[in-house]
Amino acid sequence: MQTDELERTLRPSLGDRITSVEAFPDTAGRVRFRREAALDVFRSVHALGFHHLSTVGGIDWVDHREVFYILWSDDTRQYVVLSTDVPASDAHVESATPVWPSANWHERETWELVDITFDHHPDLRHLLTPDGYAFHPLLRSFKLHEPEELEVKARHV
Amino acid sequence: MTTPASAPRLARSATQPESFRADGDLLMAGQPAVPFVEIEALRVKEFIPAAKEALTDLIAEQGQSKLIRPVFNWAGRNSLFPLHWGLACCAIEFAAAFGARWDAERFGVVPRSSPRQCDLMIVNGTVTWKVAHKLITLYEQMPEPKWVIAMGNCATGGGPFRTAYSVVPGVDKLVPVDVYIAGCPPRPEAMLDGILRLETLIRERKE
Ligand code: SF4
């Protein structure tokens, strides 16, 4: 599937809920969408045969944050990237778990490391860091701490 | 102590037999030699009363600490059972030490899979804050007396990840550590050396 073909397939049903479809190396393309339409986009892309959610991640661009989803299709043997921007002050997006149950742990990880909340997530708990951990270590504002200082804050055992 | 002629014989020699002296295990510096208890083939039912009688006798004569402590120390340090677990890359060396080449079992070190059967915890790898309270639980599940070896730079002081957001900078923040082994990772020889050093510590254990 080529990028323009991807756009031709998605555009009629989604309209301006997707902002752009760009070429992206080694994938069918990158679909940028508005975060209000997240679930519609997930369902449409799932219907195209992208049944395997490879990863969910977040990027801190300082002025805003980006959530991306990498999907794989066994039919066309291709990846596709979905991505959306969320403002740093109000970083949340709809959870992808109704469409791809495997999003569960990926979203927990993104939530605790990049501080992006996933609405209607079934079980949004800490995955890699201890319960009550006060930091979001993959944010650019996070500084490496002196171990003692970190210990005081991290110690919720 | 009375020994009926028909009953199995419990012989107690006032002098140390050569075998024990050569080993030197029960000889403590500055302490009188511990009398040797020779127990011949007994059935289980006979052994316990017989041993009890012999020990009661000896304790009355010697005082408890002088007799029991060296025997326990000797038994303890020759059968250290470490917990069979691995946290990170150091666990590979831990595993190698029990292979044919280094054969840690010749020191009586046998890894056990349940903390209830262990008296030694070898922390072989990076401890994160996430796993910290699991480690403490495992430690608390081990019966007394127990020892801890911090193996590798990570367990000793956080190692290369000392300032990372998730790593405990030294396992001595969580449990008391008896022996530290440096290295990233320490070779199996170093691990065995650490165990031998721990044996020296146990040999000198008093209370
Ligand atoms: S000390 Fe080195 S080898 Fe051992 S767990 Fe840490 S990083 Fe791995």
Side-chain angles (χ1 to χ4, degrees):
Chain A
M1 189 183 281
Q2 300 300 312
T3 307
D4 49 350
E5 190 187 343
L6 186 68
E7 175 151 21
R8 274 204 307 278
T9 328
L10 289 176
R11 194 57 91 175
S13 58
L14 291 171
D16 63 354
R17 280 173 283 189
I18 50 179
T19 48
S20 65
V21 181
E22 314 150 356
F24 201 76
D26 300 327
T27 66
R30 183 167 75 148
V31 182
R32 312 262 293 137
F33 60 94
R34 294 188 203 289
R35 71 163 161 173
E36 299 77 31
L39 267 182
D40 298 340
V41 175
F42 296 155
R43 293 222 169 88
S44 308
V45 174
H46 187 269
L48 290 182
F50 291 96
H51 291 164
H52 172 67
L53 178 69
S54 188
T55 190
V56 178
I59 306 171
D60 179 17
W61 292 109
V62 185
D63 56 334
H64 68 278
R65 293 176 199 154
E66 179 183 342
V67 195
F68 61 85
Y69 307 75
I70 299 179
L71 305 152
W72 170 257
S73 161
D74 273 332
D75 306 335
T76 57
R77 304 199 62 72
Q78 263 180 324
Y79 286 107
V80 71
V81 182
L82 311 182
S83 103
T84 187
D85 288 344
V86 293
S89 56
D90 178 32
H92 70 94
V93 70
E94 196 63 32
S95 167
T97 43
V99 185
W100 296 283
S102 66
N104 191 326
W105 283 24
H106 292 296
E107 290 180 348
R108 281 168 67 184
E109 185 187 351
T110 310
W111 168 69
E112 68 181 351
L113 295 183
V114 201
D115 192 18
I116 293 164
T117 312
F118 291 88
D119 304 333
H120 304 115
H121 188 284
D123 182 26
L124 204 56
R125 281 182 295 126
H126 285 271
L127 180 67
L128 302 172
T129 52
D131 289 339
Y133 189 76
F135 306 106
H136 302 286
L138 292 195
L139 290 184
R140 279 166 210 272
S141 54
F142 178 80
K143 297 274 179 298
L144 281 184
H145 293 259
E146 277 305 300
E148 285 68 29
E149 187 190 341
L150 188 67
E151 182 196 340
V152 175
K153 293 179 184 164
R155 193 156 199 172
H156 289 271
V157 287
Chain B
M1 187 170 73
T2 54
T3 316
S6 57
R9 195 168 59 87
L10 268 178
R12 214 178 94 206
S13 49
T15 53
Q16 297 260 328
E18 272 314 308
S19 60
F20 252 91
R21 213 170 256 148
D23 187 62
D25 258 339
L26 284 179
L27 289 176
M28 305 273 294
Q31 280 193 17
V34 177
F36 177 62
V37 186
E38 185 193 319
I39 302 173
E40 288 188 347
L42 296 177
R43 289 174 191 285
V44 176
K45 272 188 196 149
E46 298 158 349
F47 172 77
I48 291 173
K52 217 178 194 170
E53 192 190 343
L55 281 177
T56 326
D57 243 37
L58 278 172
I59 291 167
E61 219 172 82
Q62 296 263 324
Q64 179 152 356
S65 59
K66 274 200 185 129
L67 174 75
I68 301 294
R69 184 47 58 206
V71 173
F72 267 63
N73 285 355
W74 167 77
R77 72 172 178 271
N78 284 302
S79 62
L80 282 170
F81 287 5
L83 186 59
H84 192 182
W85 71 328
L87 284 170
C89 9
C90 275
I92 304 293
E93 303 297 305
F94 175 83
F98 292 93
R101 186 159 183 177
W102 286 282
D103 192 18
E105 280 186 32
R106 68 200 143 120
F107 302 114
V109 183
V110 186
R112 306 296 306 182
S113 299
S114 160
R116 310 248 184 232
Q117 302 169 347
C118 296
D119 51 5
L120 169 63
M121 174 185 262
I122 301 183
V123 185
N124 42 21
T126 324
V127 183
T128 59
W129 286 112
K130 185 83 178 178
V131 89
H133 62 284
K134 307 283 193 299
L135 185 143
I136 294 173
T137 310
L138 283 172
Y139 177 77
E140 282 170 356
Q141 283 177 337
M142 285 162 47
E144 293 275 0
K146 53 195 169 187
W147 295 275
V148 178
I149 293 182
M151 177 178 179
N153 291 353
C154 281
T156 306
F161 316 111
R162 186 176 166 78
T163 53
Y165 62 86
S166 58
V167 172
V168 182
V171 73
D172 48 8
K173 298 229 184 292
L174 307 172
V175 291
V177 177
D178 298 285
V179 175
Y180 298 85
I181 308 172
C184 180
R187 285 183 59 85
E189 295 94 310
M191 198 199 97
L192 293 181
D193 186 48
I195 287 174
L196 293 181
R197 268 160 208 258
L198 180 64
E199 289 187 3
T200 332
L201 282 185
I202 300 173
R203 179 195 290 261
E204 282 150 16
R205 202 163 150 259
K206 286 274 163 26
E207 90 299 339

